[in-house]
Amino acid sequence: ADGAEPDQWPIRVLAGVRFQQALSAIDDGRLDDAMRFLTQSELRYRSLEDSGAEVDKARLGLATTLSTMCRACQSMGDSEAARRHIEQAIKLQEELATRHPDVPIYLDGLATSFIELANLYRVNGEPAEDAYRGALAAYDALVQARPEIPRYRFNRATAQLNLAWLLNQQELPAESQAQAVAGINEFIGLAGDYPEDVRYTAGEAAGRVIVAEVLRDHGDRENSLAMLEIAIQELAGLGQDARPQDFLQRAVAVSLLASTRGAASEVSTDEQRATAVPLFDAAGELFEDLLASDSPLPRERDAAAWNDFRRAQHLSSAGDSAAATAAMQLALSRFEAPPENAVFLEHIAWFLLQSPDPDLRDVAVAVDLLERALKLAPRNVRCLETSALAHLRQGDVNTARERLRT
């Protein structure tokens, strides 16, 4: 490639090889190697673009590389670089999709980049709904043009479920439930068309978990419990066909079932603990099985930490400060190795600041957690607000004022 003319095939091949090497490095957690390969791929694609040879193909490869660089930078905690890369990728892909509306690969790349942008916004605590809507618009066009390709329907349904979860966080239950139900129905249709593919049954179960959260957060705990129990049965029914992500989704559903049962009980503290704690323990066992693999994923570690956190909240409300403290310490210990999760760190910090149990309040630890969170996501509004509160509790009014102004 170094000896080739700018428009010759060795450059295109090498750019693609470097990109595949980067994907392998990301899967292995070798993020520095991944960025080195991606940078080499980016340079090759830019040289092809500048040469004027097969410009659209070069721009597609460049956009795909930039989108992947966003993901790698996000995992490394460099949110500003991640934002820069994904904005460049979307600009390229929008131009390609506009010029070639009948070519699916350009719309597919655009949808994928919108999903990456949504993930970045979520980590930074910024509104991600429009990014998901951008992805859904692209997937709608793809499904309309090529309804025979199940992957487009699958990706659209997954985006609908993610949007539903976000809308629920924004306290828009009607729109949230509508998106979740649309996603569930898509997965039910896919499961009927392709009964041998367990992904579609698992997707339906994931949708039920989101609907359960919407119902729980708006006071309908009985139907929330019923929806979670159906989801757990569906995931357990996958048997040997279940994939690691299906075990993860099942563990998450069991954890939510535990917290929902505990919150729903109008009985004594002892009975609440008898209802919820065994379920938290069962979820914990599922998470530990996942984390015992040779290369556990960050999302598995994060989900296990959320289960520990929910367990700590429940034990605190039940009056067991010692057990709640142990559960909280276990949750924090999961982030002793990178990558960290800014949203999770903020939630624990808020709990340490606002816990009704004085034995669990710890302003100094909360301040430390929030500093770690803000290094990962300096634009995260919740992290800034909670950090202001923590510094105010310490008597540092100037830092509190600075965080609020930011």
Side-chain angles (χ1 to χ4, degrees):
D2 287 336
E5 294 298 323
D7 60 344
Q8 289 182 342
W9 65 266
I11 296 178
R12 293 195 300 275
V13 174
L14 183 58
V17 169
R18 293 303 189 207
F19 180 75
Q20 293 300 324
Q21 287 179 300
L23 293 181
S24 178
I26 290 173
D27 288 341
D28 293 341
R30 295 181 290 113
L31 296 177
D32 288 336
D33 287 342
M35 284 303 298
R36 178 165 56 85
F37 291 134
L38 287 167
T39 300
Q40 293 172 359
S41 178
E42 178 192 4
L43 291 174
R44 297 296 182 182
Y45 280 124
R46 288 194 186 279
S47 73
L48 283 171
E49 182 186 25
D50 292 341
S51 74
E54 296 185 320
V55 172
D56 286 346
K57 288 184 179 179
R59 287 178 176 171
L60 175 63
L62 176 59
T64 305
T65 299
L66 290 168
S67 181
T68 308
M69 290 175 87
C70 166
R71 192 191 327 157
C73 287
Q74 189 175 342
S75 297
M76 297 171 76
D78 191 347
S79 61
E80 292 305 314
R83 183 188 303 272
R84 186 170 63 253
H85 292 315
I86 199 61
E87 287 176 351
Q88 291 178 43
I90 289 175
K91 182 179 179 181
L92 285 168
Q93 287 161 330
E94 285 180 330
E95 292 173 356
L96 289 168
T98 300
R99 284 208 308 273
H100 306 284
D102 298 329
V103 181
I105 193 170
Y106 297 136
L107 278 171
D108 196 8
L110 178 60
T112 301
S113 289
F114 270 125
I115 296 296
E116 291 290 351
L117 181 63
N119 292 336
L120 177 64
Y121 283 163
R122 288 175 67 167
V123 168
N124 286 339
E126 299 175 62
E129 295 86 349
D130 286 345
Y132 277 120
R133 290 189 177 101
L136 283 173
Y139 283 131
D140 284 340
L142 285 166
V143 171
Q144 184 174 0
R146 302 294 298 275
E148 74 280 7
I149 299 180
R151 181 168 63 87
Y152 297 151
R153 295 168 61 192
F154 176 88
N155 289 342
R156 179 173 69 175
T158 302
Q160 286 171 323
L161 296 184
N162 282 313
L163 178 57
W165 187 86
L166 278 179
L167 291 169
N168 185 46
Q169 303 304 305
Q170 299 294 329
E171 298 188 359
L172 297 169
E175 189 179 355
S176 172
Q177 193 160 342
Q179 289 288 349
V181 170
I184 290 172
N185 287 337
E186 186 78 271
F187 278 123
I188 290 173
L190 285 165
D193 294 339
Y194 306 94
E196 73 285 353
D197 196 328
V198 300
R199 293 179 303 160
Y200 305 137
T201 300
E204 178 189 342
R208 292 187 186 279
V209 171
I210 291 174
V211 172
E213 287 194 74
V214 176
L215 293 170
R216 181 199 63 187
D217 292 347
H218 294 86
D220 191 350
R221 290 191 173 96
E222 291 305 313
N223 283 318
S224 176
L225 289 169
M227 194 68 72
L228 286 168
E229 287 167 354
I230 293 171
I232 292 167
Q233 290 173 2
E234 288 177 336
L235 291 165
L238 297 177
Q240 294 183 342
D241 293 329
R243 305 159 300 160
Q245 56 263 48
D246 301 329
F247 283 108
L248 174 61
Q249 186 64 66
R250 181 180 167 193
V252 169
V254 173
S255 179
L256 288 171
L257 181 66
S259 62
T260 304
R261 278 195 180 176
S265 297
E266 301 294 340
V267 291
S268 69
T269 299
D270 289 342
E271 289 174 302
Q272 281 190 7
R273 291 189 63 197
T275 299
V277 170
L279 285 169
F280 279 121
D281 292 341
E285 290 176 5
L286 290 170
F287 284 123
E288 292 304 330
D289 288 343
L290 285 166
L291 296 174
S293 66
D294 292 336
S295 54
L297 298 173
R299 64 183 180 186
E300 295 169 347
R301 187 273 318 267
D302 292 357
W306 281 112
N307 181 62
D308 300 329
F309 178 58
R310 293 190 191 101
R311 193 174 192 275
Q313 288 180 305
H314 179 78
L315 291 168
S316 174
S317 66
D320 193 339
S321 299
T325 300
M328 191 69 73
Q329 289 173 345
L330 177 59
L332 287 172
S333 72
R334 299 193 189 277
F335 290 94
E336 290 175 353
E340 294 186 314
N341 183 311
V343 175
F344 179 79
L345 294 174
E346 186 277 332
H347 271 72
I348 288 200
W350 177 261
F351 182 76
L352 293 175
L353 290 171
Q354 300 291 85
S355 174
D357 184 347
D359 292 336
L360 290 175
R361 293 182 204 147
D362 194 324
V363 176
V365 172
V367 168
D368 177 65
L369 293 175
L370 290 160
E371 291 303 310
R372 288 160 57 185
L374 286 168
K375 284 182 180 178
L376 297 169
R379 299 189 185 196
N380 189 306
V381 174
R382 281 198 57 152
C383 289
L384 289 165
E385 289 178 343
T386 307
S387 177
L389 174 62
H391 282 289
L392 190 62
R393 294 274 174 87
Q394 281 193 324
D396 186 353
V397 177
N398 290 333
T399 301
R401 183 182 292 113
E402 176 190 338
R403 293 290 156 82
L404 289 173
R405 284 174 174 166
T406 303

